[in-house]
Amino acid sequence: MTLRGRLTTAFLVVVLGPVLLGALFVASTVGAVDRSRSTERLAVAASTVRTSVDALCQQLRATADVLALTADPAVAAAQLIGRGLVAAVLITDVKGEVTYVSPGAPSTPWRDCSGPTTDAAGPVRALAAHVDLRDSAGALLGTVTAAQLVDPDFVARLAAVTGVAVTLLDSGASAARVTHTTESREVRDAVLAAARAVDGDRVTETSQGRYVRRIGPSDAQPLPLVVSVPSERPAGLHATLIGVVVVAALLAVLTAWRLARVTTRPLMELAGAVDRVAHGDLTARVPVRSRDELGRLAAAFNRMTRETGAYVAALTSNRDQLRGHLAVLGDTLASTHDLQRILRVILHSAIGATGARAGAVLLVETGGMLVAQCTEGLDGRWPEVGGDGSSTLRVPVGVGVVGAVAATGEPQRGRAEPTDVPSIEPRCRTYVAVPFATPGSTATTLSGSAGPADEAGVAAALGVLALYDRLGADEFDDDDLVTLRTFAGHAAVAVDNVRVHEEAQRLSLTDPLTGLWNYRYLRESIRREVERASRFGRMLSVLALDLDRFKDVNDTYGHAAGDTVLAEFARRVRGEIREVDLAFRQGGEEFVVLLPETDARGAAIVAERLGAAVRETPIAVEAYAGPVVVTVSVGIAVYPDNGSTGREVLEAADDALYAAKAAGRDTYRVAEVRPDVDTREIPVLAGAVSPPDGLPRAGQPAQVNREPGGPARSEPTVGVPEGSPAHAWPDPADDPADIDADAARAGPDAARPGSGGGASSGPHPPRQSRGR
């Protein structure tokens, strides 16, 4: 031991020894006195409880005696209960059968005042006294039992009488559960744990400073009770004693430090400088007072602090830079669901944090191909791929460094030789690549299909984050690998968040049974389409569809068959409308179809086709002998003829639907034009022959198809029913731009080559292409 150590130890022993002994003596004395007084209080409380319970039992016995002596115990019981002398009365005959029980009496069995019984387990609901009921000759007629409720008020009265906290347990055999208690919620568990460990009349102390004692059940006191009182030790006694000891220790240490400094000044100067450095002051220096060992030690210490200060300055700069990258990354993740933007920020941050020259983020796509989503600094590092001059980085899973990382799920780093790197990967000197997958789940591609897996059953990564050519160093080290793992984790979370966001957006707007848009998206879409039609001076037709007598289908075939019919009907609706049209399930068997740039004539043609598609081909239902024949009624309304807002047009379509229902179902009706709605002429494609009803037509000229070996067959003219005069072809001299503009305002089947085809308006925001 050094001189400083010997001096300090001797002084501390002399000063702190008496202080510690005195503190222990005071703590033990105060604790003994407190326990003695608390034990005495609990003994008095136990005596008071026994006296109170005994007095209650005597009152119950006296009441039972009175009832046994009356001619009509039931009437007397009601009077006694009304006066509050008892809470309940039970009268049984000699066989134990109940002949009378007072209204509102608690459930039996009641705890007998005579002491614990064999059926004492369970919650105590009432305390009772029994008296034999005899006739004038002394023959036993039965038993009269008077009871008093044992409820929270009863326990509270005991606590008020005794001046301690009282807890009534469910059973006298254990302290497992509480029936009623006046203990606070903070100390209840500790009191029950202490009561569970104590036997007889012993007193125990909880960790929260409360003394606990069990009372009963016994012959004199049948209730299983636990009483407790708080400790009377002065608040903060231990803290005060500890503070005294700490203050004495500090004074002793300061004195010892002063003594050691006077005797060993050079060592204390070095110790002070070391302490300053330990607290972050790298400018601390030790005076070099001599050329001996202590002088050389001081010089070495000064040189060490200078070098450490330079390292800390560099680390601080890197830390500030990393914080900036993380701040940008956090803001990007919180403010956008643009995957490309998020991945670019992650890549840029990873490059800045590790000092790499270049990098790329690649995601696994369908077919087991890693495709770069964003790159930085890789221009000219790999050859162009494909004949179109595309320079997108594409690496098959399992090929090269990046492909191996994606296939095995193990990160790699090192130095790349020119012959080791395939031509499909970027040329580099050093590299580090880390895989990432969706946290807590099997890695999947962005398309939703599972990624490839190796023979050991390890799921392929969702993607790879790769960096190349670290600045100022030969190779990437383990710290760079750890840093890159962090950014790869952010990339995985970003991909997963984007996927979850897109899926949640899709589910919130679609009907799960039919796959059509739901009512929520209907409200948004009709508002948007009305605004578009108003802005460009176009028409918008709304079809309200309702399956006729669909309730009979459910009642006859069952709801499963009804669901099949609804799903098939939705499929046929998608097959009869254009890609620009929108189909919705409004609820139940009610559907709505929006036909942009379509007038009433075109909407009527679509309604006829929908009715024929349902009527002419019955719907096959599994597990039933024959197909289900259903029909549909359609109501048609047109903006702006039938309303100036989406709500008004939809209500007009509903009114027309009711008219179609009243007309015998399996038909359609067009809403009447409201006289208060301003209408204006909308230009449409001119036809050779005007239709007899005079309505404007939406559509294109008929297409003539010639089948081999047969006559020419004319497809139904778009927007015109079969048998009606077809539209004339545009004059070749017409301006092509005008023809295109007119074609854009064509009817609902302008994009459909014949009656059998049709693009779907299935659910994909905002519109979905065909593919069902």
Side-chain angles (χ1 to χ4, degrees), residues 575-576 609 715-716 722 752-758:
E576 294 296 330
R609 288 184 174 176
E715 290 291 332
E722 296 183 9
R752 181 176 22 260
S755 61

Side-chain angles (χ1 to χ4, degrees), residues 420-489:
D420 295 337
V421 180
S423 58
I424 57 176
E425 288 196 57
R427 294 182 293 272
C428 63
R429 295 189 304 274
T430 59
Y431 64 88
V432 58
V434 175
F436 58 87
T438 302
S441 61
T442 303
T444 56
T445 64
L446 284 176
S447 63
S449 60
D454 58 17
E455 296 180 355
V458 178
L462 182 64
V464 177
L465 175 59
L467 301 181
Y468 304 98
D469 296 342
R470 181 182 178 187
L471 295 172
D474 293 336
E475 296 183 11
F476 293 93
D477 53 23
D478 291 337
D479 292 336
D480 297 325
L481 194 60
V482 172
T483 302
L484 202 60
R485 282 181 181 272
T486 302
F487 287 102

Side-chain angles (χ1 to χ4, degrees), residues 496-518:
D496 187 57
N497 287 344
V498 169
R499 181 183 301 149
V500 171
H501 173 74
E502 293 176 351
E503 180 66 12
Q505 186 180 33
R506 184 188 69 81
L507 293 177
S508 67
L509 299 178
T510 58
D511 175 59
L513 175 63
T514 61
L516 301 180
W517 301 112
N518 58 20

Side-chain angles (χ1 to χ4, degrees), residues 342-394:
I342 294 174
L343 293 181
R344 283 195 300 270
V345 172
I346 291 175
L347 177 60
H348 179 74
S349 301
I351 291 176
T354 58
R357 295 179 181 272
V361 178
L362 302 94
L363 296 180
V364 180
E365 293 189 349
T366 306
M369 182 68 69
L370 279 167
V371 179
Q373 302 298 316
C374 60
T375 60
E376 185 171 337
L378 292 182
D379 295 338
R381 288 178 177 259
W382 78 89
E384 294 183 352
V385 180
D388 57 353
S390 174
S391 58
T392 301
L393 177 60
R394 304 173 65 88

Side-chain angles (χ1 to χ4, degrees), residues 264-315:
T264 58
R265 182 178 179 182
L267 291 177
M268 291 307 300
E269 289 178 345
L270 180 60
V274 170
D275 185 65
R276 291 172 59 189
V277 171
H279 287 80
D281 184 9
L282 297 179
T283 62
R285 298 293 183 269
V286 179
V288 181
R289 302 183 183 277
S290 62
R291 297 182 178 274
D292 56 5
E293 290 79 0
L294 292 178
R296 291 198 300 270
L297 179 62
F301 176 81
N302 293 337
R303 185 171 59 256
M304 178 189 69
T305 54
R306 285 193 297 270
E307 294 178 356
T308 303
Y311 291 147
V312 170
L315 291 175

Side-chain angles (χ1 to χ4, degrees), residues 397-752:
V397 174
V399 177
V401 174
V402 176
V405 170
T408 62
E410 296 293 333
Q412 294 187 18
R413 66 178 180 87
R415 180 179 295 277
E417 300 297 333
T419 57
D420 295 337
V421 180
S423 58
I424 57 176
E425 288 196 57
R427 294 182 293 272
C428 63
R429 295 189 304 274
T430 59
Y431 64 88
V432 58
V434 175
F436 58 87
T438 302
S441 61
T442 303
T444 56
T445 64
L446 284 176
S447 63
S449 60
D454 58 17
E455 296 180 355
V458 178
L462 182 64
V464 177
L465 175 59
L467 301 181
Y468 304 98
D469 296 342
R470 181 182 178 187
L471 295 172
D474 293 336
E475 296 183 11
F476 293 93
D477 53 23
D478 291 337
D479 292 336
D480 297 325
L481 194 60
V482 172
T483 302
L484 202 60
R485 282 181 181 272
T486 302
F487 287 102
H490 287 302
V493 172
V495 174
D496 187 57
N497 287 344
V498 169
R499 181 183 301 149
V500 171
H501 173 74
E502 293 176 351
E503 180 66 12
Q505 186 180 33
R506 184 188 69 81
L507 293 177
S508 67
L509 299 178
T510 58
D511 175 59
L513 175 63
T514 61
L516 301 180
W517 301 112
N518 58 20
Y519 180 70
R520 174 185 177 186
Y521 194 59
L522 168 62
R523 293 183 300 176
E524 177 184 347
S525 299
I526 195 169
R527 177 190 57 79
R528 184 179 62 249
E529 294 297 338
V530 165
E531 291 178 355
R532 182 183 293 114
S534 175
R535 184 165 58 252
F536 295 104
R538 308 293 176 85
M539 284 187 173
L540 170 67
S541 293
V542 178
L543 272 60
L545 301 90
D546 187 273
L547 293 176
D548 299 326
R549 297 184 176 89
F550 184 73
K551 184 177 182 299
D552 296 341
V553 175
N554 284 333
D555 295 343
T556 304
Y557 303 100
H559 289 279
D563 292 344
T564 302
V565 171
L566 291 175
E568 175 61 20
F569 175 72
R571 188 191 66 80
R572 296 183 185 182
V573 169
R574 288 195 297 266
E576 294 296 330
I577 60 178
R578 303 168 301 178
E579 183 176 354
V580 296
D581 300 331
L582 298 173
F584 308 84
R585 184 186 180 191
Q586 192 172 9
E589 67 274 18
E590 298 179 1
F591 297 81
V592 174
V593 176
L594 301 184
L595 305 176
E597 303 185 11
T598 304
D599 56 13
R601 179 69 176 175
I605 295 175
V606 176
E608 291 177 352
R609 288 184 174 176
L610 292 175
V614 177
R615 180 192 322 110
E616 296 175 0
T617 306
I619 299 175
V621 178
E622 187 178 356
Y624 292 99
V628 177
V629 179
V630 294
T631 58
V632 63
S633 298
V634 185
I636 302 174
V638 180
Y639 171 84
D641 295 344
N642 301 118
S644 58
T645 65
R647 179 186 295 273
E648 293 178 356
V649 177
L650 190 58
E651 291 176 352
D654 287 338
D655 295 340
L657 174 61
Y658 294 143
K661 292 282 188 180
R665 297 182 175 86
D666 192 18
T667 184
Y668 70 89
R669 287 293 183 269
V670 180
E672 297 181 358
V673 178
R674 286 175 29 182
D676 57 338
V677 176
D678 296 334
T679 60
R680 58 188 177 85
E681 182 178 358
I682 295 179
V684 297
L685 187 65
V689 180
S690 299
D693 55 9
L695 292 175
R697 296 174 300 173
Q700 292 180 347
Q703 302 291 334
V704 179
N705 299 328
R706 184 174 301 275
E707 299 179 354
R713 179 172 58 85
S714 176
E715 290 291 332
T717 302
V718 176
V720 182
E722 296 183 9
S724 299
H727 290 298
W729 285 94
D731 190 353
D734 292 341
D735 186 9
D738 296 335
I739 297 176
D740 292 341
D742 291 335
R745 295 188 293 270
D749 299 302
R752 181 176 22 260

Side-chain angles (χ1 to χ4, degrees), residues 55-351:
L56 178 60
C57 289
Q58 290 180 8
Q59 178 183 338
L60 294 176
R61 292 190 188 97
T63 304
D65 287 335
V66 172
L67 294 174
L69 295 176
T70 57
D72 191 352
V75 175
Q79 295 176 354
L80 293 174
I81 292 174
R83 295 178 182 178
L85 296 178
V86 291
V89 174
L90 175 67
I91 302 176
T92 59
D93 55 16
V94 292
K95 296 181 179 180
E97 298 293 335
V98 177
T99 61
Y100 171 79
V101 62
S102 59
S107 59
T108 57
W110 299 336
R111 188 60 56 88
D112 194 349
C113 284
S114 60
T117 60
T118 56
D119 58 349
V124 179
R125 298 183 175 86
L127 191 62
H130 305 283
V131 173
D132 292 338
L133 180 64
R134 299 180 183 275
D135 58 10
S136 57
L140 181 63
L141 299 179
T143 305
V144 177
T145 304
Q148 185 67 40
L149 292 178
V150 178
D151 54 7
D153 293 336
F154 176 80
V155 176
R157 288 194 296 272
L158 285 180
V161 171
T162 58
V164 299
V166 180
T167 300
L168 176 63
L169 306 177
D170 279 2
S171 173
S174 65
R177 293 183 299 176
V178 176
T179 301
H180 307 296
T181 183
T182 61
E183 296 282 1
S184 63
R185 190 177 300 274
E186 292 78 10
V187 301
R188 184 181 303 170
D189 294 338
V191 169
L192 290 178
R196 199 176 297 122
V198 69
D199 295 330
D201 295 335
R202 292 192 304 106
V203 176
T204 184
E205 185 179 4
T206 67
S207 59
Q208 297 178 346
R210 296 187 70 87
Y211 292 95
V212 181
R213 177 176 174 174
R214 294 282 296 273
I215 304 176
S218 62
D219 293 340
Q221 200 286 106
L223 299 179
L225 298 175
V226 175
V227 293
S228 70
V229 293
S231 173
E232 295 183 356
R233 284 191 296 267
L237 174 63
H238 293 104
T240 302
L241 295 176
I242 293 174
V244 170
V245 173
V246 170
V247 170
L250 290 177
L251 293 176
V253 169
L254 290 176
T255 304
W257 176 81
R258 178 63 180 173
L259 179 62
R261 189 175 187 276
V262 171
T263 56
T264 58
R265 182 178 179 182
L267 291 177
M268 291 307 300
E269 289 178 345
L270 180 60
V274 170
D275 185 65
R276 291 172 59 189
V277 171
H279 287 80
D281 184 9
L282 297 179
T283 62
R285 298 293 183 269
V286 179
V288 181
R289 302 183 183 277
S290 62
R291 297 182 178 274
D292 56 5
E293 290 79 0
L294 292 178
R296 291 198 300 270
L297 179 62
F301 176 81
N302 293 337
R303 185 171 59 256
M304 178 189 69
T305 54
R306 285 193 297 270
E307 294 178 356
T308 303
Y311 291 147
V312 170
L315 291 175
T316 302
S317 176
N318 292 337
R319 181 198 61 188
D320 295 339
Q321 184 180 10
L322 181 59
R323 285 179 177 176
H325 289 310
L326 291 178
V328 173
L329 178 58
D331 293 340
T332 304
L333 290 175
S335 61
T336 182
H337 285 96
D338 185 354
L339 182 61
Q340 297 297 325
R341 177 184 173 187
I342 294 174
L343 293 181
R344 283 195 300 270
V345 172
I346 291 175
L347 177 60
H348 179 74
S349 301
I351 291 176

